Amino acid sequence: MKIAVIGSGYVGLVVGACLAENGNDVTCVDKDATKVRMLQRGRIPIYEPGLEELVRRNRAEKRLTFTTNLQQGVRSSQIIFIAVGTPTGEDGSADLRHVLDVAREIGKAMNGYKVIVDKSTVPVGTSEKVRDTIKKETNHPFSVVSNPEFLKQGAAIEDFMKPDRVVIGAEDTRSAEIMKELYAPFTRTGAPIMMMDCASAELCKYAANAMLATRISFMNEVANVCEAVGADVDQVRRAVASDRRIGPAFLFPGVGYGGSCFPKDVKALLRFAASQNYDFQILKAVETVNDRQKVRLLAKLKKHFGNLKGKRIALWGLAFKPKTDDMREAPAVPLIKGLLEAGASVVAYDPEAAKVARGIFGEQIEYASKSYDAIKGADALVIVTEWNEFREPDFTRIRKLLKAPVVFDGRNIYSPEQMRSLGFTYYSIGRA
Ligand code: NAD
């Protein structure tokens, strides 16, 4: 099939490359000329495991091309994905500006029947807005389909190639059949293609992300109670997770959720529920708990040191989670800001996100190119992101390099008993 993907960011690029891998002809479009030039030279602007290889292979096979020319992409395709950003607007709702700009451009470029697929995460009613916007620009027939994306950064290719399910909101049989055919190769292992109306499809993605955010905030509250009463959240988590009705995923306490999706999607769902006069109380609490959790580690640092002025604090991890360089809404950001405001200096190491961090903090903090370089002479080490390489470090070396053996573990990756036996003063989340 001939496909255009408008927006070549974390989602668009993965979707485009994976669709090309299955034999489709894909044109990825982006308005960012620098990004497109990089991609045309075979360089990937983001870090996502396996993506570079996938793009290289499909470019070489001439199944995957990159352009800034939206009109050309639309005209040569039957299926057009919209995968542009839907950031948080001023009032907390999803800002649909990019989606509707693209819809207008698609309308102007139409030259025959097309299926326009909304891949961006958008509130209920957006497919109608997209339909109306295109209709104003063209007399050519078209269908609008809602097809929310559930991939996780860090495992995006695997998630897209072997999805748990594919959700398709379609309002006519012609587009429904085309979408089923497009996704058939991705669902051979038995994953269902769930056909539904557009409103339900649009809500699926928000409900899923809000549920996951709720589990995280819930466990963070349990962890805080554990700290107050002297219980161990790890023991509690294991017992809770072994209940088959609950399951083990997304029950790890930490420094709060971040990333480009959970915070913005929780806000957007709250906002569009409110616009229908529905007060989504649980989600309000989820958000408040998360904001509080993001500064808990800073409070522990302040309590330990009394005064952070002049202290040198080493951070391991900057990205909002491992295997990505994404720092959108990352817990590292408020932590660093808080440390700097309190007069501490910060030296950070992250295997992938240092370049992105430089764009945020410039020279306000130091960037180490190796993990152990970051802790040389530091007053404490803080674990912010649980990259695999931090899981089993050389503790003797850490103790020698630190000015004093103090570790704040925001991801509970070390054992309190082991840390204490090695002579560390060790703080974690929800464990004595
Ligand atoms: P992103 O910011 O990484 O990428 C968006 C891209 O769209 C950018 O490259 C931007 O230049 C481009 N763009 C914006 N306006 C354009 C226009 N008019 N024409 C052409 N290109 C344009 O965003 P993302 O993380 O890929 O997210 C895209 C959407 O997918 C969002 O709605 C997001 O909520 C959703 N989503 C994201 C993830 C994720 O893990 N990142 C997962 C599932 C769904």
Side-chain angles (χ1 to χ4, degrees):
M1 291 189 187
K2 295 208 175 299
I3 298 167
V5 181
I6 320 292
S8 307
Y10 283 90
V11 168
L13 201 49
V14 170
V15 169
C18 290
L19 289 171
E21 178 74 2
N22 269 357
N24 298 292
D25 279 330
V26 180
T27 308
C28 283
V29 180
D30 205 286
K31 68 174 181 182
D32 182 338
T34 316
K35 194 178 263 189
V36 169
R37 259 196 312 277
M38 267 181 95
L39 288 162
Q40 284 169 338
R41 285 194 212 113
R43 286 175 49 220
I44 309 294
I46 52 166
Y47 173 73
E48 179 61 44
L51 187 57
E52 193 163 353
E53 162 67 14
L54 202 62
V55 169
R56 195 191 50 70
R57 188 165 55 240
N58 285 286
R59 272 182 71 237
E61 296 294 332
K62 306 219 178 316
R63 287 192 298 254
L64 183 61
T65 53
F66 299 97
T67 180
T68 51
N69 190 334
L70 184 143
Q71 191 184 36
Q72 177 202 317
V74 170
R75 286 179 167 264
S76 61
S77 305
Q78 188 190 15
I79 305 176
I80 297 138
F81 282 87
I82 303 179
V84 295
T86 46
T88 304
E90 270 172 28
D91 61 355
S93 63
D95 182 348
L96 294 178
R97 200 174 341 158
H98 301 305
V99 172
L100 298 179
D101 280 354
V102 167
R104 208 167 298 118
E105 294 303 310
I106 293 173
K108 285 184 188 149
M110 293 279 284
N111 57 346
Y113 176 76
K114 319 243 175 227
V115 181
I116 290 96
V117 186
D118 201 342
K119 220 356 140 195
S120 300
T121 303
V122 289
V124 174
T126 305
S127 60
E128 266 168 51
K129 287 185 184 161
V130 168
R131 200 172 291 127
D132 292 346
T133 308
I134 298 174
K135 217 180 229 162
K136 279 192 192 137
E137 306 291 340
T138 185
N139 289 322
H140 287 290
F142 67 92
S143 307
V144 175
V145 165
S146 169
N147 171 220
E149 182 49 56
F150 296 94
L151 63 77
K152 302 181 288 295
Q153 288 171 224
I157 292 166
E158 170 87 4
D159 286 348
F160 192 85
M161 288 298 203
K162 295 181 195 151
D164 291 340
R165 73 319 208 177
V166 173
V167 170
I168 295 169
E171 308 286 355
D172 61 78
T173 345
R174 188 175 181 186
S175 61
E177 290 309 315
I178 292 173
M179 292 304 288
K180 278 193 222 163
E181 192 186 330
L182 178 70
Y183 274 106
F186 297 93
T187 51
R188 289 223 172 86
T189 47
I193 297 183
M194 299 177 170
M195 304 302 295
M196 57 185 79
D197 59 276
C198 283
S200 305
E202 286 166 336
L203 194 52
C204 284
K205 173 70 188 179
Y206 284 107
N209 272 359
M211 179 68 180
L212 295 171
T214 302
R215 284 175 72 110
I216 294 173
S217 274
F218 181 84
M219 265 332 263
N220 280 334
E221 295 238 88
V222 171
N224 298 338
V225 172
C226 283
E227 278 180 25
V229 300
D232 180 336
V233 73
D234 250 0
Q235 312 282 359
V236 177
R237 178 183 57 77
R238 270 202 288 268
V240 170
S242 65
D243 186 322
R244 270 178 292 167
R245 294 168 303 176
I246 298 173
F250 280 80
L251 289 184
F252 290 85
V255 284
Y257 60 76
S260 68
C261 291
F262 288 4
K264 126 177 130 53
D265 292 351
V266 164
K267 269 198 181 59
L269 179 48
L270 266 170
R271 190 65 216 152
F272 75 76
S275 74
Q276 301 304 312
N277 296 320
Y278 187 76
D279 183 16
F280 205 142
Q281 295 215 14
I282 289 180
L283 271 193
K284 279 188 189 159
V286 166
E287 204 177 34
T288 311
V289 168
N290 196 55
D291 290 343
R292 220 169 47 190
Q293 199 69 17
K294 278 186 171 179
V295 292
R296 250 185 110 81
L297 214 50
L298 181 65
K300 288 182 194 225
L301 275 138
K302 283 182 173 163
K303 193 167 172 212
H304 173 85
F305 286 107
N307 187 356
L308 280 164
K309 206 170 165 63
K311 299 291 177 211
R312 182 175 170 83
I313 308 298
L315 259 55
W316 274 4
L318 290 163
F320 84 91
K321 66 173 185 178
K323 296 191 190 167
T324 182
D325 59 353
D326 199 345
M327 283 191 68
R328 290 178 283 187
E329 303 276 340
V333 176
L335 175 63
I336 292 173
K337 283 186 180 155
L339 287 168
L340 294 177
E341 271 164 26
S345 63
V346 174
V347 50
Y349 167 75
D350 186 287
E352 296 295 337
K355 198 169 147 215
V356 179
R358 219 179 264 278
I360 304 170
F361 292 105
E363 301 309 312
Q364 283 179 287
I365 66 171
E366 286 173 50
Y367 307 91
S369 54
K370 295 202 178 80
S371 54
Y372 291 98
D373 290 351
I375 54 184
K376 221 177 278 171
D379 291 280
L381 166 64
V382 185
I383 310 291
V384 189
T385 316
E386 69 279 30
W387 285 92
N388 277 342
E389 66 175 89
F390 303 150
R391 287 180 186 274
E392 291 196 39
D394 180 345
F395 288 112
T396 316
R397 195 166 163 203
I398 294 179
R399 216 183 44 217
K400 272 194 199 136
L401 286 168
L402 281 171
K403 205 183 269 174
V406 187
V407 174
F408 293 84
D409 180 355
R411 300 291 183 176
N412 286 1
I413 58 176
Y414 307 136
S415 132
E417 295 76 34
Q418 189 197 6
M419 292 303 277
R420 253 168 244 133
S421 73
L422 290 167
F424 284 95
T425 302
Y426 177 70
Y427 299 92
S428 56
I429 308 288
R431 304 183 300 178

